[in-house]
């Protein structure tokens, strides 16, 4: 995660300093979320905090519409926003309006910077919530195993992004209503 640290003398401007400790073999220096140009794109990286680099200064624009989740995380200078519309977040021209979900971010108190889950293309594309992580761990290899092994080891699973599709929910509600009507008819007839 990142800690939001105000920049003296600049109203609403802050640095996003890394809150996580360095992994073994990494330098323990304090690093800030930084944007740099790479192959024609503005990419995000974590670089040693300078205290003066404009590329390490950010602003947060609160949501423009009541009920919107998240606001825009913008570079302090210019009209560039962090965009989560691709596999890696990039700095991209801020899109006007509140309908553009790829540039919405939630700054949590614990330091997480989260792109809330959203959908596009009339629900055909669903993107899970994602967080900016400057020190990701390697992927964990998953393997199939007999269910007794994890149960005996007291492994507990956490459900993520548990949803019931609208169609399934409507079908379940219709079945419940039909069962309730049948029960009422049965009770009323006796």
């Amino acid at each position: 995660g990142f800690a939001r640290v105000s920049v003296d003398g600049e109203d609403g401007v802050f640095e996003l300093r890394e809150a996580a400790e360095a992994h073994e073999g990494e330098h323990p220096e304090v690093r800030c979320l930084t944007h740099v140009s790479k192959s024609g794109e503005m990419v995000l990286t974590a670089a040693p905090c300078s205290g003066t680099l404009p590329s390490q200064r950010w602003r947060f624009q609160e949501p423009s519409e009541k009920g919107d989740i998240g606001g825009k995380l913008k570079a302090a200078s210019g009209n560039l926003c962090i965009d989560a519309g691709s596999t890696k977040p990039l700095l991209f021209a801020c899109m006007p309006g509140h309908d553009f979900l790829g540039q919405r971010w939630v700054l949590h108190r614990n330091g997480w910077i989260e792109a809330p889950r959203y959908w596009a293309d009339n629900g055909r594309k669903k993107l899970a919530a994602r967080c900016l992580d400057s020190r990701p761990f390697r992927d964990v290899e998953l393997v199939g195993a007999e269910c007794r092994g994890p149960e005996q080891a007291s492994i507990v699973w956490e459900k993520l992004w548990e949803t019931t599709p609208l169609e399934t929910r409507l079908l379940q509600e219709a079945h419940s209503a039909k069962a309730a009507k049948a029960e009422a008819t049965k009770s009323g007839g006796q």
Side-chain angles (χ1 to χ4, degrees), residues 90-102:
L90 301 170
L91 212 55
F92 195 76
C94 295
M95 303 304 280
H98 67 99
D99 293 340
F100 195 74
L101 302 175

Side-chain angles (χ1 to χ4, degrees), residues 1-2 18-26 31 33 44-47 87-89 112 130-140:
F2 293 87
E18 213 172 28
E21 292 186 17
H23 294 174
E24 189 175 319
E26 292 182 338
R31 300 188 317 169
L33 185 64
L44 298 174
T45 188
T87 54
K88 287 192 174 189
W112 290 357
R130 296 175 286 168
C131 290
L132 291 181
D133 188 356
S134 61
R135 297 183 188 266
F137 286 96
R138 281 185 232 136
D139 291 338
V140 175

Side-chain angles (χ1 to χ4, degrees), residues 143-157:
V143 295
E146 289 289 326
C147 293
R148 285 174 282 190
E151 287 173 354
Q152 291 170 348
S154 300
I155 293 174
V156 179
W157 291 92

